Amino acid sequence: MKRSAVNSIMLVLLLVVASCASNRKAGWDQREETVKLGKKELASTIKLAKDSWDKRADKASLEVALVQYQTLVKAAQTKEEYYKYAVRLCRGYYFLADGHYPESQMAKKMSYWNMGTAWGEKAMATSEEFRSFVSKG
């Protein structure tokens, strides 16, 4: 899927979720720390993230993948890398909420949905056009 189409889908999702949550801080206003990974550490983190993601139907594997993608987003050297990992975190947290928590645990589901929304917003904020749009209010 093209990046512009993904951004459009994520914008609609953002507007729906944001309309339900008036006291949350937008993802594009949140900052992450950065980390520097050596080549071997980077390669092993990418491999573990992908291998765990492929088994995301298992909750523990998904949680491992999310930790690895959080490390990768902090180590991203380009906007494209950051975008790719932030989108994966967005999808992962939504899947964690929808696929691994029952309706009886709605507070937990909402927490993960909010995390997914924040990562989606961070991904969208890699677009200068989007950042310009939201900064205008």
Side-chain angles (χ1 to χ4, degrees):
M1 188 178 297
K2 290 188 176 190
R3 186 173 176 167
S4 61
V6 171
N7 280 347
S8 297
I9 291 167
M10 291 172 73
L11 179 59
V12 170
L13 177 64
L14 163 70
L15 294 174
V16 169
V17 173
S19 67
C20 299
S22 60
N23 292 332
R24 58 179 297 280
K25 185 175 182 181
W28 53 80
D29 289 331
Q30 299 172 21
R31 302 287 180 248
E32 279 78 52
E33 62 185 83
T34 59
V35 298
K36 181 76 172 161
L37 300 178
K39 285 185 178 186
K40 285 184 180 182
E41 187 179 9
L42 179 61
S44 67
T45 303
I46 290 170
K47 181 175 180 0
L48 181 55
K50 286 181 180 180
D51 291 348
S52 299
W53 181 260
D54 288 345
K55 298 180 232 166
R56 65 190 174 275
D58 172 67
K59 182 181 171 189
S61 293
L62 176 57
E63 290 171 336
V64 168
L66 292 171
V67 169
Q68 300 309 307
Y69 282 118
Q70 287 173 355
T71 299
L72 290 168
V73 83
K74 292 175 185 177
Q77 298 295 306
T78 65
K79 281 185 179 182
E80 290 76 17
E81 286 179 355
Y82 186 94
Y83 175 82
K84 176 173 64 173
Y85 299 134
V87 167
R88 187 56 53 98
L89 285 164
C90 174
R91 290 182 59 205
Y93 280 114
Y94 267 84
F95 185 73
L96 183 60
D98 289 338
H100 294 291
Y101 286 94
E103 297 297 317
S104 62
Q105 293 184 319
M106 188 55 71
K108 190 71 119 171
K109 289 173 81 78
M110 290 292 290
S111 172
Y112 289 125
W113 283 329
N114 284 333
M115 292 169 88
T117 298
W119 282 111
E121 291 167 342
K122 291 172 188 182
M124 290 186 300
T126 63
S127 162
E128 294 303 322
E129 180 181 18
F130 178 81
R131 280 197 73 71
S132 173
F133 176 77
V134 296
S135 69
K136 293 176 184 174

